[in-house]
Amino acid sequence: MTRSKEEFKTLEPGKVKMYVCGPTVYDYIHIGNARPVIFFDVVRRYLESVGYEVTYVVNFTDVDDKLIKKAAEIGSTVPEVADKFVQMYYEDTKGLGVREATVHPRVTQNMSEIIDFISGLVNKGYAYEAGGDVFFRTSKFPDYGKLSHQNMEELQFGIRVEVDERKESPQDFVLWKATKPGEISWSSPWGEGRPGWHIECSAMVRKYLGETIDIHGGGQDLTFPHHECEIAQSEGLTGHPMANYWMHNGFVNINNEKMSKSLGNGINVHQPLKTISPQVIRYFMLSGHYRNPLNFSDEAVEQARNSLNRIENSIANLKHRLSSAEAGTPDPELIQAPQGVKEQFEAKMNDDFNTPDAITAMFDLVALSNQYLTRDQVNKESIGLLLGQFEAMDNVLGILATAEEDLLDEEVEQLILERTEARKAKNWARADEIRDLLTSRGILLEDTSQGIRWRRK
């Protein structure tokens, strides 16, 4: 709101209340949706890594014009459509290495809280009923526009806002919509209907986190009108600031064009996850500062893949040498150097979550590791320090192999051992069969002076 960096001070010592606007579950999440999902996952991970207890809430909009339209198109119901794509959200975000939020509330499960919230606004004069609909009276809230820094006269309308003669002012927005024939609806003091888009988040923020929260996040496109309307509703009802810090991530363009339905260039996350490693997608999303736009293209994905391979190869080399390394006292410079990388990493993350520079710190560790491995003699303790720092940084970024992939390591090692024994026995057919199997799984074998090592493509 202040358009400036500020020191992060929580409402309660050691605790963070964070709310991020989630998807409208009428379809798969697209690559643009994936950016806040991944970035705010990293924010949550980092805050936890430095000792905060984070209550993280991400909502599902499971009743909306889009869901009603989708249900009608496929001959289904709104709840059935919502249930399907909530599950798809969990599947896709798990595939992206995203940890589930503390709470994933759904609009339809919080209808009484939403109706109570609207009633409170009506009672305080911030809202009025007209023909079964209820509208927010923006003239009653003089600070309307303070987040997007627009004046009432300059506000641009059109996003989910329809011209309606029943409004006292064109800027007024809907809180409750009267039901149309055949639509899903709930009973309310104003008749059968359903909530407007903006009110749901205000009601769920208050229910799950309280009247004022530490961080409210979402995509840049939500600044106006969605978050602007949330502020008016919440602060109109409670009289307290809704959030102390607002964070908005930039857009994701596709091949240097804005992603839009009219251009038909949208990409559902479900698609690239079939052919692109989820770690590569995470790396790409974190390779630019969260407030800046990103351009998704084949070239950008390939660049992310190559960069990630450099990190993974360095870690693979460390693990390979670990098996033959001797015990010993850690080298003095390898006690200090990883600590310096850790401090650099945290300094960049502390500076408005500068993930690209934090990744640079990880590459400094790559250089340090590669230089150490040029020595003829290495020890387990030094390698352990290097691997431990890689793990600590990746616990925040989540760009390396997931736990599920790590479980495959033992199987790969066993197959390599079996292939070595087959070659000793001159069972070339079996040796070739194992190599082909490993190749099909994306495992590359390399002969080194220390023996065979492997890495993922």
Side-chain angles (χ1 to χ4, degrees):
M1 192 173 290
T2 64
R3 299 293 195 270
S4 62
K5 295 180 188 177
E6 298 178 6
E7 182 182 355
F8 182 53
K9 297 179 180 178
T10 58
L11 293 162
E12 295 181 55
K15 295 184 178 182
V16 176
K17 299 177 180 180
M18 183 165 72
Y19 185 97
V20 174
C21 292
T24 301
V25 285
Y26 72 103
D27 204 342
Y28 297 101
I29 60 170
H30 56 66
I31 203 72
N33 301 138
R35 188 174 192 186
V37 168
I38 291 170
F39 171 68
F40 287 105
D41 175 62
V42 170
V43 171
R44 183 250 197 111
R45 286 171 178 239
Y46 183 68
L47 292 172
E48 290 180 340
S49 77
V50 295
Y52 288 103
E53 177 187 330
V54 182
T55 304
Y56 182 37
V57 179
V58 179
N59 73 298
F60 291 124
T61 298
D62 61 347
V63 60
D64 175 271
D65 290 340
K66 293 179 179 179
L67 280 119
I68 292 171
K69 181 179 178 182
K70 183 69 168 255
E73 287 175 350
I74 64 176
S76 184
T77 66
V78 168
E80 287 172 345
V81 171
D83 288 345
K84 173 184 177 180
F85 289 109
V86 164
Q87 288 307 120
M88 291 300 98
Y89 171 91
Y90 284 128
E91 181 179 318
D92 288 341
T93 55
K94 182 179 180 181
L96 290 169
V98 173
R99 299 171 181 173
E100 282 191 25
T102 312
V103 186
H104 277 292
R106 295 168 65 155
V107 175
T108 56
Q109 296 170 350
N110 291 275
M111 203 57 67
S112 62
E113 287 82 2
I114 292 170
I115 292 171
D116 287 346
F117 201 110
I118 297 172
S119 296
L121 289 171
V122 171
N123 293 337
K124 294 187 73 171
Y126 282 99
Y128 58 94
E129 187 268 341
D133 289 353
V134 180
F135 297 97
F136 186 90
R137 184 177 281 119
T138 52
S139 62
K140 175 81 171 174
F141 191 76
D143 284 340
Y144 189 65
K146 65 180 178 179
L147 179 65
S148 55
H149 289 204
Q150 300 183 77
N151 296 325
M152 290 289 284
E153 294 78 14
E154 298 172 350
L155 288 175
Q156 299 175 4
F157 305 104
I159 306 176
R160 297 198 188 191
V161 178
E162 299 176 357
V163 176
D164 193 323
E165 294 180 355
R166 296 171 300 161
K167 292 182 180 181
E168 294 178 357
S169 169
Q171 293 94 332
D172 295 352
F173 56 88
V174 68
L175 302 174
W176 186 262
K177 295 182 177 183
T179 188
K180 296 177 182 177
E183 287 186 349
I184 187 170
S185 65
W186 287 261
S187 297
S188 80
W190 318 283
E192 291 290 313
R194 56 189 171 86
W197 178 37
H198 312 303
I199 192 65
E200 62 183 68
C201 289
S202 285
M204 287 189 277
V205 165
R206 187 173 70 145
K207 176 180 177 180
Y208 293 99
L209 296 172
E211 293 185 348
T212 303
I213 65 174
D214 295 293
I215 297 173
H216 196 318
Q220 183 182 351
D221 57 313
L222 298 181
T223 307
F224 181 83
H226 187 50
H227 288 165
E228 201 73 77
C229 294
E230 281 187 51
I231 291 171
Q233 295 162 164
S234 295
E235 298 186 5
L237 183 68
T238 70
H240 300 128
M242 184 181 191
N244 283 345
Y245 303 93
W246 290 85
M247 299 175 68
H248 296 94
N249 63 272
F251 293 108
V252 176
N253 297 322
I254 307 295
N255 295 317
N256 293 312
E257 290 186 314
K258 183 178 179 180
M259 186 166 54
S260 69
K261 289 183 178 179
S262 60
L263 294 174
N265 62 350
I267 299 176
N268 288 332
V269 171
H270 217 62
Q271 296 167 261
L273 274 177
K274 295 177 181 178
T275 56
I276 305 173
S277 158
Q279 286 77 34
V280 169
I281 295 177
R282 281 187 75 104
Y283 185 101
F284 163 76
M285 291 294 182
L286 301 175
S287 64
H289 194 279
Y290 77 91
R291 287 186 280 105
N292 296 332
L294 278 176
N295 183 54
F296 188 84
S297 66
D298 291 341
E299 294 78 12
V301 169
E302 187 62 25
Q303 184 178 359
R305 181 182 289 113
N306 292 336
S307 297
L308 189 57
N309 281 343
R310 286 178 55 199
I311 301 173
E312 291 176 335
N313 288 342
S314 181
I315 293 171
N317 287 333
L318 286 171
K319 290 181 177 179
H320 181 66
R321 291 292 296 275
L322 186 63
S323 60
S324 59
E326 298 181 355
T329 304
D331 297 277
E333 67 269 29
L334 287 181
I335 296 176
Q336 296 177 354
Q339 179 62 27
V341 171
K342 176 178 182 291
E343 291 172 359
Q344 179 189 351
F345 179 85
E346 291 185 350
K348 297 304 181 182
M349 291 299 291
N350 286 345
D351 183 13
D352 196 20
F353 300 95
N354 191 334
T355 57
D357 282 0
I359 290 173
T360 299
M362 187 174 273
F363 278 108
D364 289 344
L365 190 61
V366 167
L368 186 66
S369 301
N370 293 346
Q371 183 179 14
Y372 179 66
L373 291 179
T374 61
R375 301 183 185 184
D376 292 331
Q377 297 292 326
V378 296
N379 64 64
K380 294 181 184 293
E381 285 71 18
S382 295
I383 292 177
L385 287 174
L386 294 166
L387 288 173
Q389 190 52 49
F390 273 119
E391 182 179 355
M393 290 190 288
D394 190 60
N395 188 49
V396 172
L397 299 177
I399 58 176
L400 300 178
T402 62
E404 287 81 2
E405 287 175 316
D406 286 339
L407 294 176
L408 187 62
D409 289 1
E410 293 182 10
E411 184 181 357
V412 172
E413 297 285 359
Q414 287 297 320
L415 287 168
I416 292 173
L417 180 62
E418 184 182 346
R419 179 175 177 272
T420 301
E421 294 300 320
R423 288 168 62 87
K424 287 180 181 178
K426 297 185 178 181
N427 186 351
W428 310 118
R430 177 56 180 161
D432 290 345
E433 182 183 349
I434 293 173
R435 175 179 277 277
D436 290 343
L437 174 62
L438 292 170
T439 300
S440 70
R441 293 189 181 186
I443 304 299
L444 300 179
L445 302 182
E446 297 177 0
D447 290 315
T448 72
S449 57
Q450 290 84 30
I452 298 174
R453 65 176 290 273
W454 63 272
R455 63 182 178 86
R456 291 185 172 88
K457 287 184 182 179

